[in-house]
Amino acid sequence: QVQLVESGGGLVQAGGSLRLSCAASGRTFNRYAMGWFRQAPGEEREFVAAISRSGGTTYYVDSVKGRFTISRDNAKTTVHLQMNNLKPEDTAVYYCAAENPPLNAGSGYYSTIPNEYDYWGQGTQVTVSS
């Protein structure tokens, strides 16, 4: 079992930055691929970024490429999402998620599909004003 707790959300003006953190419990953090998703009111949950178990592979939705950076510290069992040059359209609840990869998945495995993730945090609100 993995428990995930997000933090770092808040209010920021367009062009500003926030750094989200996700603290994970459990002893098997390094076995999970991690992802960040977001959901705005009235919209479907959207993939934002993912990182493989070792941190060696990352992937981003096109709309945040060059602005967001996902990272993980397996020793501290945390994952971060550095968000720079924030835009009003980034406003959403951001969720941290963990996926136990399929059997025989390579070390670079990650997923962009919400239903494939096994554990979710409670979410943290990010609001970007114009």
Side-chain angles (χ1 to χ4, degrees), residues 2-5 22-27 29 34 76-79 96 98:
V2 177
Q3 291 181 303
L4 306 173
V5 180
C22 175
S25 65
R27 299 177 62 85
F29 178 74
M34 301 295 297
K76 296 181 179 179
T77 66
T78 58
V79 61
C96 176

Side-chain angles (χ1 to χ4, degrees), residues 12 17-18 24 31 37 44 47 53-54 59 63 65 69-70 82 85 96 106 119:
V12 64
S17 298
L18 286 173
R31 301 180 187 177
F37 295 78
E44 296 183 354
F47 168 79
R53 289 172 288 172
S54 69
Y59 184 77
S63 61
K65 287 181 178 178
T69 302
I70 187 171
Q82 178 67 46
N85 192 23
C96 176
Y119 303 98

